[in-house]
Amino acid sequence: MFGYALDEHVELRPLAIEHARALFEITDRSRDRLRKWLPWVDSVQEVNDTVNYIKGAMKQAAENGGFSAGIWVREELAGTISFHEIDWNNRSVGLGYWLDQQFTGQGLMTSACRAFTDHALMRMGLNRVEIRCATANHRSRAIPERLGFVLEGVIREAEKLPQGYVNHAVYGMIQSEWKRLG
């Protein structure tokens, strides 16, 4: 199976059906924390919900429309990172991610986002990578900021979460900027 090593202990691997139980377990374990920022959390109630998500991600990858990977730390699933729908006409993609609480604060997601951004802009030939985060989600916002993404603006009441609507900070990176940063 394809894998991309971030370092000697951390690897990105495409999500596969055999990862469903592990992914469900970290989702379930992280549910209260994730619910604050991600609208899909309450729809994942059993392993089969995760199987269906992975099947959708695999179909999207097969159709060249996106890509989802697990982040593995010493063979333990730590979280996920995904290219959302690739817009081939405009050569752009959104990037989404989350980690199990026990793996936060170690630079894992920054490394994974760097690898995904580099892959999108330098290998896939896309021109733009966008990251949207709730404005109050400071930990998530720190990732594109560390990587040199530009804060392009705020979209008001962009997403409905259990506690109500949240605004999104929109960060963008374009290929020419990424090359200069590289």
Side-chain angles (χ1 to χ4, degrees):
M1 175 184 277
F2 163 84
Y4 181 85
L6 296 177
D7 66 29
E8 64 273 11
H9 303 294
V10 182
E11 185 177 24
L12 304 177
R13 294 185 207 150
L15 290 176
I17 300 301
E18 61 264 22
H19 304 142
R21 177 154 303 282
L23 183 55
F24 174 77
E25 287 173 358
I26 66 169
T27 302
D28 198 46
R29 183 169 60 232
S30 302
R31 187 174 302 280
D32 290 338
R33 184 178 59 83
L34 295 176
R35 179 182 293 118
K36 185 174 180 181
W37 307 118
L38 300 170
W40 52 263
V41 174
D42 288 333
S43 67
V44 179
Q45 295 297 315
E46 57 186 59
V47 174
N48 197 53
D49 296 326
T50 304
V51 168
N52 290 334
Y53 163 73
I54 292 173
K55 285 180 179 178
M58 292 170 67
K59 181 177 187 282
Q60 185 181 38
E63 295 170 352
N64 207 21
F67 181 79
S68 296
I71 302 167
W72 298 83
V73 178
R74 293 183 171 87
E75 298 302 317
E76 183 177 357
L77 184 60
T80 67
I81 183 167
S82 302
F83 286 140
H84 299 310
E85 298 250 346
I86 298 172
D87 179 345
W88 287 106
N89 289 328
N90 293 303
R91 307 205 63 76
S92 66
V93 68
L95 185 57
Y97 46 84
W98 66 273
L99 279 175
D100 185 10
Q101 178 66 41
Q102 69 180 331
F103 294 100
T104 63
Q106 301 172 38
L108 296 172
M109 195 54 77
T110 301
S111 294
C113 285
R114 180 180 293 111
F116 260 56
T117 300
D118 195 66
H119 185 75
L121 299 175
M122 305 311 293
R123 289 172 189 78
M124 294 173 65
L126 298 178
N127 186 58
R128 176 181 169 78
V129 175
E130 182 176 287
I131 297 175
R132 294 184 181 198
C133 312
T135 54
N137 189 345
H138 302 291
R139 293 184 76 136
S140 187
R141 290 183 66 178
I143 294 166
E145 290 170 0
R146 273 194 291 275
L147 293 173
F149 278 63
V150 173
L151 175 62
E152 297 175 332
V154 173
I155 301 173
R156 298 177 307 142
E157 297 188 1
E159 189 170 49
K160 187 174 187 304
L161 297 174
Q163 70 273 20
Y165 286 96
V166 295
N167 298 338
H168 275 184
V170 179
Y171 292 90
M173 176 62 69
I174 58 174
Q175 188 183 72
S176 60
E177 293 169 342
W178 190 252
K179 285 178 179 178
R180 281 195 305 271
L181 290 172

